[in-house]
Amino acid sequence: MSLIDEVNKRRTFAIISHPDAGKTTLTEKLLLYGGAIHLAGSVKARKTAKHAVSDWMEIEKQRGISVTSSVLQFDYEGHHINILDTPGHQDFSEDTYRTLMAADSAVMLIDVAKGVEEQTKKLFRVCRERQIPIFTFVNKIDRFGRNPFDLMDEIENILGIRAYPMNWPLGINGNYEGIYDRTTSSIELFAKDMNHGQQKLASAKGSADDPAFKALLSDDVHRSLVDDIELLDAAGDEFDLKKVKNGTLTPMFFGSAMTNFGVKLFLEKFLELAPKPQPRKTKEGSVEPTSEQFTSFIFKIQANMNPQHHDRIVFMRICSGKFEKGMTVTHRQSGKPVRLMQPQQFLATERTMIDEAWPGDIIGVFDSSSLGVGDTLYDGKRQVTFADFPTFPAELFARIRAKDSLKRKQFLKGMTQLAQEGAVQIYENPGSMESYIVGAVGQLQFEVLEYRLLHEYGVTLEMNRLPYSVARWIYSETKDYKELKNIDSAMVVKDHKQRTVLLITNEWQANWIVERNPDFIFCQRPDELPLEDN
Ligand code: G4P
């Protein structure tokens, strides 16, 4: 198969959702369709029970969670699908955000009873900034849920994206009994037996007011369907693939992952509408996925998959060209050649060695220490540099130092390496050479930091949580930061590029400080600073 064919058949996406919306269940159902797993419950088992793979980091085993995002792949009707998993709950970390950098589209999963929740909002923002297409799956319609028009409103108001329902739940007052497929004008009803909806009940084709539907639905449900569809057709947005592609219109699907209802319809439509691997921006210009030159970037590093060896597995997204096992490529950041050893892909719960991979694929390779998160690898002579990853807003801060001052050297070494991996954000504490301020988006990052410094560098940390939850990068053409007013409750630190950052208790306080310091520019991220070379 040619490079173009390989690119065309690939779809690489992430599922974004709030914990408990049903991401694990939906992933499992998708893998079942692809034949990648044969038993419902396999993915779930991985999530909640002990890990089948014995050499994951100890902390993962102890907590029964996956510290870093996993990647799953399967084939379905000629497509090769890579699902990037984004962990939730207390294992939410910067890795969750970074994973989105590797996706070409995202599936936003929403609980029909709960609507748009906090974590979904955070992840959505990152997708929105990247302008990638977002598909919405409203889950759990097998049980009581909110009105679908309310949910559309919520998506539009809270997330600022228009929604186009591809199907519509049948039912009244939040009790649903099936869906109407707007693309084929047909209805599908839940099986009322215990078959978990895998068996389709009577269905019919025709416009919503077709008499055939009347025979299948109760009068009330039928009337409500006719009214709803009329309203959607008259007042709703038109379907516009261009808007889907630039992330301003989200195709919206209703279904139930657990009862497997509407999942196949979703998968098939998704594969039809979701983009194949797209060109990627680099500092030297855009790279087409069909370019023969192999290029990739690293979006995640998982250290000590095997604690016996100090090895790290580096996850990369292939952006163009063909990957071949054992190939030697250039590491852009160091300028050095790197041999890509023991390439692996991840199929459901297993890892497999691979010989080749293509644009859109995610692979893991072993590395001793030279590669960092966000780095570029390329083959051939033409230099390629993928743009830097954005800094994701840290919400938790702590002051750390080595308990034993004799371990200072190991502490610094460990912190330098962990910062390169992107395990936490590191700030200098201007008042002290012995301690650092670290920022994280989730509590787990602190736990991993503590664990790894102890087990890999022999350093016991002293960690004090700080009462800040927002960071602002500060800039002024004329003034020194020492002239900032009303910042008694905040803390001034320097980031790794010696830029001044203010750590502040909360958003309200941040706005208050901004108002009192009109001579300064406050940015939520360093790449928004004027004159910043990003
Ligand atoms: P997550 O990965 O997003 O955190 O969610 P997960 O799939 O673990 O699902 C969270 C809970 O929601 C699970 O229930 C799951 O069975 C349930 N669920 C998922 N999809 C649906 C659906 O379509 N309909 C209904 N009614 N429930 C759904 P649990 O009680 O936490 O676990 P379990 O005992 O069912 O395994």
Side-chain angles (χ1 to χ4, degrees), residues 17-27 44 47-48 85 88-89 109 111 137 139-143 255-261:
S17 67
H18 195 79
D20 279 340
K23 181 162 53 73
T24 315
T25 314
L26 180 68
T27 306
K44 190 100 194 163
K47 177 180 159 185
T48 48
D85 188 17
H89 277 299
L109 187 68
D111 183 324
F137 188 89
N139 193 26
K140 307 196 186 182
I141 65 159
D142 56 300
R143 63 182 197 196
S256 160
M258 188 179 79
T259 59
N260 208 2
F261 194 84

Side-chain angles (χ1 to χ4, degrees), residues 190-209:
F190 298 141
K192 298 250 171 16
D193 58 18
M194 294 312 285
N195 267 328
H196 284 309
Q198 282 160 20
Q199 184 184 321
K200 266 194 212 172
L201 272 194
S203 61
K205 278 191 180 218
S207 59
D209 55 2

Side-chain angles (χ1 to χ4, degrees), residues 190-452:
F190 298 141
K192 298 250 171 16
D193 58 18
M194 294 312 285
N195 267 328
H196 284 309
Q198 282 160 20
Q199 184 184 321
K200 266 194 212 172
L201 272 194
S203 61
K205 278 191 180 218
S207 59
D209 55 2
D210 200 292
F213 291 161
K214 219 170 169 173
L216 292 168
L217 304 172
S218 69
D219 278 354
D220 287 352
V221 172
H222 184 248
R223 197 170 322 112
S224 136
L225 171 70
V226 174
D227 291 349
D228 286 358
I229 299 299
E230 227 174 66
L231 186 59
L232 277 182
D233 288 345
D237 285 57
E238 297 230 343
F239 184 78
D240 182 340
L241 192 57
K242 250 196 259 134
K243 289 187 182 163
V244 174
K245 296 223 150 136
N246 66 22
T248 55
L249 181 74
T250 176
M252 186 176 185
F253 298 81
F254 293 84
S256 160
M258 188 179 79
T259 59
N260 208 2
F261 194 84
V263 176
K264 190 160 187 265
L265 171 78
F266 165 73
L267 175 62
E268 288 177 354
K269 269 282 151 201
F270 171 79
L271 291 175
E272 185 189 318
L273 301 174
K276 60 188 180 194
Q278 294 296 295
R280 291 264 169 170
K281 272 192 215 142
T282 72
K283 292 185 178 167
E284 296 81 10
S286 166
V287 169
E288 289 293 326
T290 49
S291 152
E292 294 288 334
Q293 182 184 21
F294 168 83
T295 65
S296 75
F297 64 83
I298 295 163
F299 66 95
K300 168 176 126 178
I301 293 176
Q302 177 142 357
N304 288 354
M305 299 274 278
N306 182 345
Q308 262 86 54
H309 314 109
H310 266 240
D311 55 15
R312 317 189 306 161
I313 192 158
V314 166
F315 290 82
M316 65 183 83
R317 143 103 196 196
I318 300 175
C319 298
S320 65
K322 179 183 177 185
F323 168 84
E324 279 171 286
K325 182 177 159 188
M327 77 193 292
T328 299
V329 295
T330 304
H331 174 221
R332 167 71 183 98
Q333 277 65 22
S334 66
K336 292 192 178 128
V338 178
R339 183 132 192 262
L340 302 179
M341 306 288 281
Q342 301 186 39
Q344 308 173 32
Q345 281 186 334
F346 302 81
L347 186 81
T349 49
E350 278 142 37
R351 291 189 240 162
T352 45
M353 290 294 174
I354 51 152
D355 293 324
E356 56 178 48
W358 303 90
D361 284 345
I362 309 297
I363 57 168
V365 295
F366 279 99
D367 168 60
S368 52
S369 75
S370 61
L371 309 175
V373 162
D375 287 0
T376 302
L377 297 169
Y378 65 90
D379 187 23
K381 292 211 161 45
R382 193 169 67 100
Q383 180 178 296
V384 178
T385 324
F386 287 101
D388 293 341
F389 278 13
T391 302
F392 302 106
E395 292 174 20
L396 307 171
F397 297 90
R399 180 188 284 113
I400 55 164
R401 63 180 196 87
K403 236 185 193 140
D404 179 353
S405 53
L406 296 174
K407 293 273 170 94
R408 189 164 174 270
K409 218 166 132 196
Q410 289 95 313
F411 172 60
L412 292 180
K413 183 172 169 220
M415 288 308 291
T416 311
Q417 285 190 359
L418 293 175
Q420 181 197 23
E421 276 180 30
V424 281
Q425 295 175 21
I426 296 187
Y427 305 96
E428 277 175 29
N429 184 5
S432 161
M433 300 286 284
E434 301 293 321
S435 64
Y436 282 111
I437 306 296
V438 288
V441 307
Q443 168 65 22
L444 181 78
Q445 286 178 262
F446 288 149
E447 288 173 32
V448 169
L449 180 73
E450 236 173 335
Y451 182 90
R452 292 188 53 193

